[in-house]
C-alpha cells in the first residue's frame, strides 16, 4: 500500500467522523430549538389572590393563563377550608368544583369571588395540573397564596358625598392596578 492510499483512507475516516459529529450537533441543536419553541409557546396557568375596593372590599382568586397558547386544566386541587368556609352563597364555594376540564385561552382570566371571613391563617395552597393543546404536554404548578395583605383606602368620613368617596376609591384602585 503506497502512501497516497494511506492518506486517502485516513482522510476518508476523518471525513466520516467529522460528518458524524456534525450530524450529532445538528440533532442536538434541533432538540434544543424544539424545547425553546415549546417554552415560548406553552400555556402558563397561575392563580393569585387580589382585592378591589370601590364601595366595599371584594376578594377574588384569579386563575389566569399567562402563556401563548390555550391550556386545559386537568386537575385543580384547592384547600379544604374553602369547602367549609362561611360564604354569602353556596355558589361561591361550589365554583371551585367547576374548574377542572376548563380550557383557558391565552390572556384569559377567571375571577372567583371569595369572602375572607373568620379565616385566621390566610394561607391557601393550590395545585393546578394542565395540558397544552398544541404539544399535549402536562404541567403541574403549586401555589401558596396569602390573603392578609393590607389595603389602604381613603376614609369615608372625609367626604360629604358618598359618590365622591366611591369615585376616589375607584381612582385609587385603578392607580394601584397600574403599578
Amino acid at each position: 500500500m503506497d502512501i497516497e492510499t494511506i492518506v486517502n483512507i485516513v482522510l476518508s475516516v476523518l471525513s466520516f467522523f467529522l460528518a458524524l459529529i456534525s450530524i450529532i450537533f445538528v440533532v442536538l441543536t434541533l432538540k434544543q430549538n424544539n424545547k425553546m419553541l415549546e417554552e415560548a409557546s406553552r400555556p402558563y396557568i397561575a392563580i393569585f389572590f387580589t382585592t378591589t375596593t370601590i364601595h366595599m372590599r371584594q376578594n377574588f382568586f384569579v386563575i389566569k393563563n399567562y402563556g401563548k397558547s390555550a391550556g386545559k386544566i386537568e386537575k385543580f386541587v384547592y384547600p379544604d377550608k374553602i369547602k367549609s368556609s362561611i360564604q354569602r352563597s353556596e355558589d361561591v364555594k361550589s365554583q371551585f368544583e367547576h374548574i377542572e376540564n376548563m380550557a383557558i385561552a391565552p390572556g384569559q382570566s377567571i375571577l372567583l369571588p371569595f369572602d375572607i371571613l373568620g379565616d385566621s391563617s390566610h394561607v391557601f395552597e393550590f395545585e393546578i395540573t394542565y395540558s397544552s393543546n398544541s404539544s399535549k404536554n402536562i404541567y403541574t404548578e403549586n401555589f401558596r397564596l396569602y390573603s392578609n395583605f393590607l389595603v389602604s383606602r381613603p376614609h369615608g368620613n372625609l367626604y360629604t358625598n358618598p359618590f365622591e368617596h366611591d369615585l376616589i376609591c375607584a381612582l385609587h384602585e385603578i392607580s394601584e392596578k397600574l403599578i
Side-chain angles (χ1 to χ4, degrees), residues 53-71:
T53 306
I54 304 297
H55 182 67
M56 61 183 223
R57 181 178 171 148
Q58 294 178 309
N59 305 303
F60 298 95
F61 287 105
V62 181
I63 299 172
K64 183 170 183 174
N65 183 354
Y66 290 96
K68 301 292 184 195
S69 64

Side-chain angles (χ1 to χ4, degrees), residues 29-42:
T29 303
L30 287 173
K31 284 184 179 182
Q32 183 67 26
N33 286 346
N34 192 19
K35 281 184 185 179
M36 289 171 49
L37 284 172
E38 181 189 332
E39 285 297 314
S41 64
R42 70 169 265 208

